[in-house]
Amino acid sequence: MSRIASTFAALKAENKTGLVTFITAGDPGPELTVPLMHALVEGGADVLELGVPFSDPMAEGPVIQRACERALKFNIGLQDVFGFVREFRRTNTTTPVVLMGYANPIERIGPENFIRCAKEAGADGAIVVDYPPEECAAFAESMRANDLDLIFLLAPTSTTRRVQQVAQYGSGFSYYVSLKGVTGAGSIDTAEVARRVSAIREHVKLPIGVGFGIRDGATARAVAEVADAVVIGSRIIQELESVPKEKAVEAVRDFTSGIRSALDA
């Protein structure tokens, strides 16, 4: 059982909703990435998404776009991201780490090389926004063969056929994008999320995380009624943007703790 599967199994046994948090590797500075990862865990995150900086992050709204731009000014690339994961693993061997990004950096080093490096670093899976399931059966198989999970996005516009493809090739958990648009683009219609998640569960037996637009404890709690996990990214980046670097770790820990408390209330 993968670290992601084990985590969700433990959450289910405790009747808890998972908290999946996102930061961009290298933002707001490379020296803060690993301390921020630890702070997220200390605040109550169950799974970490570590964004791979990319120059054209098509699924991201302006907040995460800015995070990518800041990280790229430090020349943070995929090998640096693997290095952050290795450093994190020196003291944390239990919290799943999912690399989130786009196809170009993976294609540049080669999918098999990516899988080897990710496994050696201690990553647990990947979300590749522009790898559609119908075009990456071999990649998904190689990921699974190396005990890595390939996690796919599902959207309000996803067809039944696409949901079935995600059920066939995905592992770890499925990520339902609650909004039609980019990250951080608006507010969530929780009734519509409930309807769509119920329809997805008819085909997908994996845990379902819901993200894009969860900004506070109240929304997180509402989404938790229908999801196995809530995913928060843009709001955490905004927290980083609102404080000096020396207060970043504390701010992220405190924000995450607030969300965790709301989920456990």
Side-chain angles (χ1 to χ4, degrees), residues 75-162:
N75 296 313
I76 300 298
L78 196 47
Q79 294 301 329
D80 300 292
V81 177
F82 294 140
F84 294 139
V85 178
R86 279 193 297 271
E87 185 178 346
F88 176 75
R89 283 285 173 242
R90 291 175 187 166
T91 51
N92 183 315
T93 60
T94 57
T95 304
V97 177
V98 176
L99 306 182
M100 183 170 184
Y102 295 82
N104 284 41
I106 295 174
E107 293 295 326
R108 183 173 182 179
I109 70 168
E112 291 301 322
N113 193 28
F114 169 81
I115 290 170
R116 179 183 59 80
C117 291
K119 183 177 177 62
E120 289 177 354
D124 299 283
I127 300 170
V128 188
V129 175
D130 45 353
Y131 266 179
E134 66 270 22
E135 293 183 10
C136 61
F139 183 68
E141 183 178 345
S142 293
M143 289 279 284
R144 281 194 298 270
N146 285 275
D147 301 316
L148 296 171
D149 290 315
L150 185 57
I151 298 155
F152 289 101
L153 302 176
L154 287 167
T157 54
S158 294
T159 63
T160 298
R161 175 61 181 150
R162 174 52 59 87

Side-chain angles (χ1 to χ4, degrees), residues 70-260:
R70 288 190 293 267
L72 289 172
K73 287 181 180 178
F74 293 107
N75 296 313
I76 300 298
L78 196 47
Q79 294 301 329
D80 300 292
V81 177
F82 294 140
F84 294 139
V85 178
R86 279 193 297 271
E87 185 178 346
F88 176 75
R89 283 285 173 242
R90 291 175 187 166
T91 51
N92 183 315
T93 60
T94 57
T95 304
V97 177
V98 176
L99 306 182
M100 183 170 184
Y102 295 82
N104 284 41
I106 295 174
E107 293 295 326
R108 183 173 182 179
I109 70 168
E112 291 301 322
N113 193 28
F114 169 81
I115 290 170
R116 179 183 59 80
C117 291
K119 183 177 177 62
E120 289 177 354
D124 299 283
I127 300 170
V128 188
V129 175
D130 45 353
Y131 266 179
E134 66 270 22
E135 293 183 10
C136 61
F139 183 68
E141 183 178 345
S142 293
M143 289 279 284
R144 281 194 298 270
N146 285 275
D147 301 316
L148 296 171
D149 290 315
L150 185 57
I151 298 155
F152 289 101
L153 302 176
L154 287 167
T157 54
S158 294
T159 63
T160 298
R161 175 61 181 150
R162 174 52 59 87
V163 174
Q164 291 170 338
Q165 289 168 335
V166 166
Q168 180 178 358
Y169 297 118
S171 61
F173 69 96
S174 290
Y175 185 158
Y176 177 66
V177 174
S178 62
L179 303 171
K180 296 177 182 177
V182 294
T183 55
S187 57
I188 291 177
D189 181 341
T190 52
E192 177 63 12
V193 170
R195 187 185 70 80
R196 286 294 297 162
V197 168
S198 178
I200 289 167
R201 288 193 195 278
E202 294 180 11
H203 305 282
V204 176
K205 303 310 176 188
L206 297 170
I208 297 176
V210 174
F212 281 47
I214 299 174
R215 307 186 58 78
D216 53 42
T219 308
R221 183 65 196 153
V223 170
E225 295 295 325
V226 297
D228 299 294
V230 298
V231 187
I232 302 182
S234 292
R235 183 63 185 81
I236 294 173
I237 303 300
Q238 287 179 319
E239 197 70 24
L240 289 172
E241 290 181 328
S242 70
V243 298
K245 278 189 178 183
E246 60 269 20
K247 294 186 178 180
V249 170
E250 179 184 1
V252 163
R253 184 190 299 113
D254 289 348
F255 173 78
T256 308
S257 179
I259 300 295
R260 180 78 263 169

Side-chain angles (χ1 to χ4, degrees), residues 22-31 33 36 50-55 57 63-78 80-81 84 237 240-241 245:
F22 171 95
I23 58 170
T24 298
D27 175 56
E31 74 285 358
T33 296
L36 285 170
L50 188 59
V52 179
F54 187 55
S55 57
V63 174
I64 295 180
Q65 285 181 20
R66 290 196 299 269
C68 283
E69 289 168 2
R70 288 190 293 267
L72 289 172
K73 287 181 180 178
F74 293 107
N75 296 313
I76 300 298
L78 196 47
D80 300 292
V81 177
F84 294 139
I237 303 300
L240 289 172
E241 290 181 328
K245 278 189 178 183

